[in-house]
Amino acid sequence: MWGDIAIAFLLAFVTAFIGTPYTIKLARKVGALTVPNNRNINNKPVPRIGGIAVIAGFIVSALYLTITMCIENKLELNDMDNYKVKLLGFLLGIIIIGIFAYLDDIKNLKPYIKLSVQVIAAIIIYVAGIRIDVINGMQIPDILSFILTVGWIVGITNAINLIDGLDGLSSGITLISCLFLLIIFTANYSPLISIILVTALAGSIVGFMPYNMHPAKTFIGDVGAQFLGFALAVISILGVAKTVTLFVLIAPILVLGLPIFDTLFAIIRRIVRGKSLKAVFSADKGHLHHRLMKKGYTQKQAVAILYAASTTLGLLSIILIDEGIWKSLSFMLIIAAIMAFGYKEIKKYKRAVIRENIRLKRVKKEDLK
């Protein structure tokens, strides 16, 4: 198994790393550039369809490993789980999401069109047999299964897309989520295909990230951010489909807790401010990364803080699965104490910096006199 995991990661990494420079050239040719404005914080036009290379890395790796594992009899596509149909449905969903998200990066599609496409892709996944249909060992009604599955996929797709606001943020958060999902899957004997898919996704992100870290040479774009969210949502369902433990079912929610919270808060904030459901589709600068930068943090600092928060939630999910609720609560209390102490120290440091700046200004004024 570990050999397959290593190959899945390396093949996805190499494909994405080699392919990203070509997406930069393509972006300039088709005009897919993010230009500076009141929402975008970049100070020059940046290509924004780097996600195409991430999709390519994932598909190349996933296809190669699926074929080789079938040849080696490690994977049976036509077994009772019918992975052949599931994987074909997943591929079709990726193609649909990818095409329309690419068009959105070029032409800025209407929000309702994007949402409709996401719902269609999620329905395809459900029809293909990738579903949330068992909770804590109990079979749930089909209508509830449909609502949960489609809602989860559409929700996570948008959650990753909405958090994509700083260099390396959405790709880094997704990579952290992949690593913790990989641990959860391997520890709970999830289907091998889900382990391979989450590894391929991680590899393609790592191949892209050298071009996306601050200062970014390219952005992942809607084509990449929507794909990351869609793929994470589907793979997380595949990975826990046979699990009957409630904590394991909750784990993906914790792992993806940061983008989920940011999305829910954005929905509530926009409805309250706009006083209508239509306001949900109105972009604003109230996301977590925007708020951190308003507090005076740099891009790198804001991204590091959100990485740390995502990692903490991932660790919480592992502790919850392995040790139970009481150890999880202990961990949360320790983290809360560390955060309180750290916040106090940061405020002290900022006050000291402000005092030093004031002192230096006074010295300069005296020297000028």
Side-chain angles (χ1 to χ4, degrees):
M1 181 183 79
W2 292 108
D4 293 322
I5 290 174
I7 293 170
F9 181 88
L10 287 172
L11 187 55
F13 167 81
V14 171
T15 304
F17 185 77
I18 293 174
T20 301
Y22 292 98
T23 67
I24 295 173
K25 293 178 182 178
L26 177 62
R28 289 178 177 143
K29 189 175 291 186
V30 300
L33 302 171
T34 298
V35 296
N37 57 33
N38 61 340
R39 280 197 74 247
N40 300 322
I41 60 174
N42 50 298
N43 52 23
K44 63 179 181 180
V46 179
R48 66 178 182 206
I49 53 174
I52 294 174
V54 179
I55 296 174
F58 175 77
I59 291 178
V60 168
S61 178
L63 283 177
Y64 176 79
L65 266 297
T66 300
I67 292 169
T68 55
M69 286 194 303
C70 285
I71 293 172
E72 296 168 352
N73 294 319
K74 294 179 181 178
L75 178 67
E76 178 56 59
L77 293 181
N78 293 315
D79 63 2
M80 61 181 294
D81 292 308
N82 206 1
Y83 283 117
K84 183 177 181 180
V85 175
K86 289 179 179 179
L87 291 176
L88 286 174
F90 189 18
L91 179 61
L92 180 57
I94 290 171
I95 291 170
I96 291 172
I97 287 285
I99 290 172
F100 279 88
Y102 171 75
L103 292 174
D104 184 42
D105 278 324
I106 296 175
K107 300 182 178 181
N108 291 322
L109 300 178
K110 296 287 180 65
Y112 70 87
I113 295 177
K114 294 191 284 187
L115 182 60
S116 299
V117 170
Q118 292 166 4
V119 170
I120 290 169
I123 291 172
I124 289 171
I125 295 299
Y126 180 84
V127 172
I130 303 175
R131 305 171 180 176
I132 302 170
D133 54 7
V134 177
I135 296 180
N136 210 26
M138 296 177 61
Q139 193 80 24
I140 62 174
D142 289 343
I143 184 64
L144 181 57
S145 173
F146 177 81
I147 293 170
L148 287 176
T149 303
V150 173
W152 171 256
I153 293 171
V154 173
I156 299 302
T157 300
N158 283 289
I160 299 298
N161 194 33
L162 287 173
I163 208 169
D164 181 35
L166 299 179
D167 297 352
L169 182 55
S170 65
S171 51
I173 294 293
T174 306
L175 178 60
I176 292 167
S177 301
C178 285
L179 294 176
F180 281 106
L181 285 176
L182 178 60
I183 294 169
I184 292 166
F185 291 171
T186 51
N188 289 277
Y189 307 101
S190 295
L192 180 58
I193 189 64
S194 64
I195 295 173
I196 294 300
L197 291 176
V198 79
T199 304
L201 185 60
S204 61
I205 295 168
V206 174
F208 170 73
M209 284 188 74
Y211 303 96
N212 189 227
M213 298 306 290
H214 185 73
K217 297 181 181 68
T218 182
F219 294 152
I220 201 164
D222 264 26
V223 66
Q226 288 195 45
F227 161 72
L228 291 181
F230 181 76
L232 267 180
V234 174
I235 293 169
S236 65
I237 296 173
L238 273 174
V240 300
K242 291 183 177 181
T243 304
V244 297
T245 306
L246 184 59
F247 288 161
V248 177
L249 294 172
I250 293 172
I253 299 175
L254 283 174
V255 170
L256 295 163
L258 189 68
I260 289 173
F261 168 80
D262 190 48
T263 301
L264 292 175
F265 186 67
I267 291 171
I268 295 168
R269 180 180 68 247
R270 292 174 184 181
I271 290 174
V272 171
R273 287 182 180 177
K275 297 181 180 179
S276 73
L277 289 174
K278 288 183 179 179
V280 172
F281 299 107
S282 302
D284 61 16
K285 296 189 74 172
H287 292 289
L288 292 173
H289 51 276
H290 291 134
R291 290 172 180 273
L292 285 171
M293 293 196 71
K294 284 178 184 176
K295 289 283 187 181
Y297 295 102
T298 64
Q299 268 209 65
K300 286 184 177 180
Q301 290 170 337
V303 169
I305 290 169
L306 294 174
Y307 280 1
S310 188
T311 301
T312 301
L313 288 170
L315 289 170
L316 177 60
S317 70
I318 300 297
I319 295 170
L320 182 65
I321 292 170
D322 194 49
E323 300 292 342
I325 188 70
W326 295 113
K327 284 283 181 71
S328 302
L329 289 173
S330 300
F331 175 75
M332 290 170 66
L333 287 172
I334 293 169
I335 293 298
I338 292 171
M339 287 177 64
F341 177 77
Y343 181 73
K344 185 178 178 182
E345 292 301 309
I346 288 171
K347 289 197 78 172
K348 281 183 182 178
Y349 172 76
K350 282 188 172 182
R351 284 197 293 266
V353 169
I354 291 169
R355 286 197 297 268
E356 181 63 17
N357 287 336
I358 292 171
R359 188 188 69 80
L360 289 173
K361 284 180 181 178
R362 286 175 180 169
V363 170
K364 282 183 179 180
K365 283 182 181 180
E366 290 174 1
D367 288 344
L368 289 172
K369 290 178 182 178

